[in-house]
Amino acid sequence: MQNKFNMCPQCGSKKIEWRDGKKWLCPDCGFDLYCNVAAAVGIVLYDKEGNILFEVRAKEPRKGFLCLPGGFVDPDESAEDAVVRECREELGAEVHGTEFLCSFPNTYEYKNIEYKTCDIFFKTKLPAKYQNMEDFVKTLHREESEVVRFEIRRVQSLDDVNGLALAFGSAHKTLLKFLEEKDD
């Protein structure tokens, strides 16, 4: 799917063109608009038993599918700050000790517009004050507009990852990377 403008937002010309797979250009007035990649973050929050915290999405795209906690990076915000903020907003929890895990390209379709993203993933262990993931989940306060519920899933193998109804391909690749690093 290619996003389309029917006319130049600057001069109104109907000759606006999609160029080089990354920008719109108006040959009449010279207006150009780049379709830059958006930055998004996610976190693999795990415990020593191999359980990972997931959210069930409350809205499109991919409503009802599993995702890792996270979201878009705000203007003038670092990825590290964004993942902490997103956890505070979506989980009602403070996370500490996050470590960069990996990044992958993704496509995020929203209201018939395709956004290309660079999804930056971090990992962190369950806070030490909790005995297990179930105890931690009981303390969470979900952001109802974003999260239907939390789910804890044991992820220890390729079959475990393949069995998850994940919203985004970048999360699938991230979980595989997480398992690969765990085995090192």
Side-chain angles (χ1 to χ4, degrees), residues 41-43 45 52-59 62-71 83 85-93 137 140-153 164-168 171:
V41 294
I43 192 156
L45 195 129
I52 294 178
L53 177 68
F54 292 92
E55 300 172 346
V56 175
R57 292 183 56 81
K59 64 182 187 179
R62 312 285 289 166
K63 181 179 180 178
F65 284 79
L66 295 174
C67 67
L68 296 166
V83 77
R85 175 187 51 77
E86 285 290 343
C87 286
R88 190 179 313 116
E89 291 174 1
E90 292 183 0
L91 308 177
V137 169
L140 300 180
H141 302 282
R142 68 184 171 87
E143 185 178 17
E144 292 181 16
S145 64
E146 299 282 332
V147 181
V148 172
R149 70 182 173 276
F150 301 112
E151 291 196 11
I152 302 165
R153 298 290 181 95
L164 297 170
L166 293 167
F168 305 109

Side-chain angles (χ1 to χ4, degrees), residues 55-107:
E55 300 172 346
V56 175
R57 292 183 56 81
K59 64 182 187 179
E60 296 296 345
R62 312 285 289 166
K63 181 179 180 178
F65 284 79
L66 295 174
C67 67
L68 296 166
F72 286 99
V73 178
D74 286 342
D76 301 318
E77 182 179 50
S78 70
E80 293 85 353
D81 289 343
V83 77
V84 170
R85 175 187 51 77
E86 285 290 343
C87 286
R88 190 179 313 116
E89 291 174 1
E90 292 183 0
L91 308 177
E94 294 293 326
V95 296
H96 303 283
T98 60
E99 296 177 43
F100 174 77
L101 177 59
C102 58
S103 65
F104 290 103
N106 192 31
T107 300

Side-chain angles (χ1 to χ4, degrees), residues 6-74:
N6 294 324
M7 58 188 249
C8 173
Q10 185 164 297
C11 74
S13 170
K14 299 224 181 238
K15 296 180 188 174
I16 194 156
E17 304 166 356
W18 177 246
R19 293 261 180 101
D20 307 320
K22 61 182 176 183
K23 74 175 183 176
W24 290 274
L25 177 69
C26 177
D28 289 343
C29 73
F31 172 82
D32 61 354
L33 176 65
Y34 283 85
C35 184
N36 293 321
V37 171
V41 294
I43 192 156
V44 178
L45 195 129
Y46 64 97
D47 67 15
K48 62 184 178 226
E49 285 83 36
N51 297 309
I52 294 178
L53 177 68
F54 292 92
E55 300 172 346
V56 175
R57 292 183 56 81
K59 64 182 187 179
E60 296 296 345
R62 312 285 289 166
K63 181 179 180 178
F65 284 79
L66 295 174
C67 67
L68 296 166
F72 286 99
V73 178
D74 286 342

Side-chain angles (χ1 to χ4, degrees), residues 91-152:
L91 308 177
E94 294 293 326
V95 296
H96 303 283
T98 60
E99 296 177 43
F100 174 77
L101 177 59
C102 58
S103 65
F104 290 103
N106 192 31
T107 300
Y108 187 92
E109 188 179 328
Y110 182 68
K111 294 187 177 182
N112 297 318
I113 296 178
E114 186 176 273
Y115 297 91
K116 294 296 185 177
T117 64
C118 178
D119 294 351
I120 305 160
F121 291 93
F122 296 86
K123 63 182 180 177
T124 192
K125 291 180 186 172
L126 177 70
K129 66 182 180 179
Y130 298 101
Q131 295 293 319
N132 55 50
M133 193 66 80
E134 291 82 10
D135 289 344
F136 177 66
V137 169
K138 289 176 188 173
T139 69
L140 300 180
H141 302 282
R142 68 184 171 87
E143 185 178 17
E144 292 181 16
S145 64
E146 299 282 332
V147 181
V148 172
R149 70 182 173 276
F150 301 112
E151 291 196 11
I152 302 165

